[in-house]
Amino acid sequence: MDEKDREDNVGQIRALRSLGYAGPLSFEPFSPAVHTLEDPAPALADRIAFIRPRL
């Protein structure tokens, strides 16, 4: 997820939270760029850092 998020994932998270959802969220990395990462943890941390201030 980044500024080019075509799926509006942040909007989906906001909608779920507005309906009272407080459970865990999951990431499903479909991008081939993610599949080739030796260590995806930094990329995941970057995405979480992108999402948090937008909620």
Side-chain angles (χ1 to χ4, degrees), residues 1-51:
M1 274 177 258
D2 57 21
E3 291 82 10
K4 298 178 257 175
D5 179 16
R6 293 178 286 176
E7 303 292 326
D8 188 27
N9 288 285
V10 171
Q12 291 178 44
I13 295 168
R14 285 182 186 155
L16 287 168
R17 286 187 163 189
S18 75
L19 295 170
Y21 181 75
L25 302 168
S26 67
F27 286 84
E28 297 182 24
F30 296 111
S31 171
V34 175
H35 296 178
T36 61
L37 294 174
E38 188 171 316
D39 180 9
L44 178 60
D46 287 347
R47 298 310 175 261
I48 292 170
F50 173 81
I51 294 166

